[in-house]
Amino acid sequence: MVRSAARGLLAGATGTVVLNLVTYGDMALRGRPSSGMPAETADRLAGHAGIELGDGEEKASREEAAGALLGYVAGLGTGLLYGLLRGRRDRAVWLTGPLLAAAAMAASDLPATALGVTDPREWSGTAWLSDVVPHLAYGFTTAAVYEALR
């Protein structure tokens, strides 16, 4: 069980790096700004937890950092859970990749939606692509790395 968890954590870490590479590559190619959703989600979570993030630039910096850290928690946590729940049978990457992508998307988008930061029903097609494509890269990478580590 410890080995499966470690493999899942390492696979999730690799998938998270790939997700970030795809996201920043998209930002560079299209010249689009980063999303404010992670920072706003972090701010609202901190508020619900009674944690004061400060004022002005200090608060904005903490929100941005906490938002990025939440992304790592989602990516690493999804990989870890996959490692723990996966079982011993071989799993096809083409099948588990999209499932891991959906799980990672849910880990980041559901809290933001629940906190009223965003409403995916109002997203444009481009916004959906900007979220789905990096998460698919995460899912396929995480599944492939996990299988390679077996």
Side-chain angles (χ1 to χ4, degrees):
M1 178 140 77
V2 172
R3 286 183 183 180
S4 295
R7 282 191 292 266
L9 195 58
L10 185 56
T14 307
T16 301
V17 168
V18 170
L19 179 143
N20 286 332
L21 288 169
V22 171
T23 298
Y24 289 120
D26 176 51
M27 289 168 58
L29 285 172
R30 292 194 297 140
R32 72 171 178 85
S34 63
S35 171
M37 189 174 81
E40 180 65 25
T41 301
D43 180 53
R44 294 200 186 177
L45 283 173
H48 284 294
I51 299 169
E52 180 60 42
L53 296 179
D55 294 310
E57 280 188 43
E58 183 180 85
K59 179 180 181 183
S61 296
R62 285 190 175 133
E63 288 171 346
E64 188 175 338
L69 290 171
L70 287 173
Y72 284 104
V73 167
L76 295 169
T78 300
L80 175 65
L81 285 174
Y82 178 66
L84 290 172
L85 300 174
R86 186 186 169 284
R88 294 179 185 237
R89 293 188 343 200
D90 286 341
R91 303 279 187 243
V93 170
W94 64 268
L95 177 63
T96 56
L99 294 175
L100 285 166
M105 263 183 83
S108 62
D109 293 346
L110 288 178
T113 302
L115 291 167
V117 174
T118 189
D119 184 351
R121 294 174 298 184
E122 297 175 0
W123 291 0
S124 68
T126 303
W128 272 102
L129 281 174
S130 294
D131 200 36
V132 170
V133 171
H135 282 96
L136 282 170
Y138 167 88
F140 282 114
T141 300
T142 301
V145 168
Y146 190 91
E147 290 305 314
L149 292 172
R150 289 186 65 232

